[in-house]
Amino acid sequence: MDSDIGHRKRALRAELRERRQNLTSVEREAATAGFTQNLQSITLDLSARSISCYLSSRNEPDTRSFVNWAEAQGIRVLFPVSRDDGLLDWTVGEDQTEFEGLSGAPEAGGSLLGPIAINDVDLIVVPAAAVDASGLRMGWGRGYYDKTLGSMEKCPPVYAVIFDNEFVDEVPREVHDQPVDGLVTPTRIIAF
């Protein structure tokens, strides 16, 4: 890894993390309503019957209202479960429990379906630290999604969920970084 790129990514992630921590509860609630509405809109536009979506942690864009809506619509939701080998496993979360995954993020409890279960979904919703104007996603540095998306033969649309100020002109790029097909903020949906 180019140490300059690595340094720029770490600095940008730290700045974005701090910005997220400084959001007020009112800003957060308004953002959640926008995220939920925009994610619902994409799901309906794609007529998605099966999706994958992460469980948001406290400072992340809130995906939980969207997930609850999707499940209530009878849409199958796959949740990521991190593995020691850097890949993601998947579960439908039938245990209705949560635990802290390897990366510290909340993960759903349930039977593991294996890394290739993701190949059957109609929409993939991923976390991100930032997305740039070319559709390049910068994650939080663990590489789970880059590995997963990079290994898929036929990838459905992938949308990153970020706050409005995390849509930037350019993110530092490394070879393994995977682009996304679009992004969702509280106020807009952008397809690349």
Side-chain angles (χ1 to χ4, degrees), residues 174-190:
E174 290 175 90
V175 178
H176 63 263
D177 291 333
Q178 296 291 319
V180 291
D181 299 297
L183 62 86
V184 175
T185 76
T187 62
R188 53 194 177 160
I189 299 168
I190 296 174

Side-chain angles (χ1 to χ4, degrees), residues 134-149:
S134 74
L136 190 65
R137 168 189 172 273
M138 183 178 80
W140 293 104
R142 293 181 287 272
Y144 286 111
Y145 283 99
D146 288 323
K147 282 189 195 84
T148 297
L149 300 175

Side-chain angles (χ1 to χ4, degrees), residues 40-110:
Q40 288 171 345
S41 170
I42 293 167
T43 305
L44 294 169
D45 285 351
L46 292 171
S47 303
R49 298 308 310 145
S50 179
I51 63 173
S52 85
C53 187
Y54 65 100
L55 287 173
S56 51
S57 58
R58 201 173 60 80
N59 285 326
E60 283 184 302
D62 191 339
T63 57
R64 290 161 186 274
S65 298
F66 166 65
V67 164
N68 292 340
W69 169 84
E71 289 179 334
Q73 301 299 308
I75 295 169
R76 183 172 183 250
V77 182
L78 289 187
F79 299 100
V81 178
S82 49
R83 298 174 13 152
D84 287 329
D85 61 5
L87 295 175
L88 290 171
D89 215 323
W90 303 93
T91 182
V92 291
E94 71 279 3
D95 294 358
Q96 299 292 314
T97 58
E98 273 182 44
F99 62 95
E100 190 174 294
L102 297 173
S103 64
E107 295 185 357

Side-chain angles (χ1 to χ4, degrees), residues 18 34 68 76 99 107-108 119 128 131 151 166 170 176 183 192:
E18 187 176 335
N68 292 340
R76 183 172 183 250
F99 62 95
E107 295 185 357
N119 290 328
V131 176
S151 70
E166 295 165 351
E170 189 180 12
H176 63 263
L183 62 86
F192 297 109

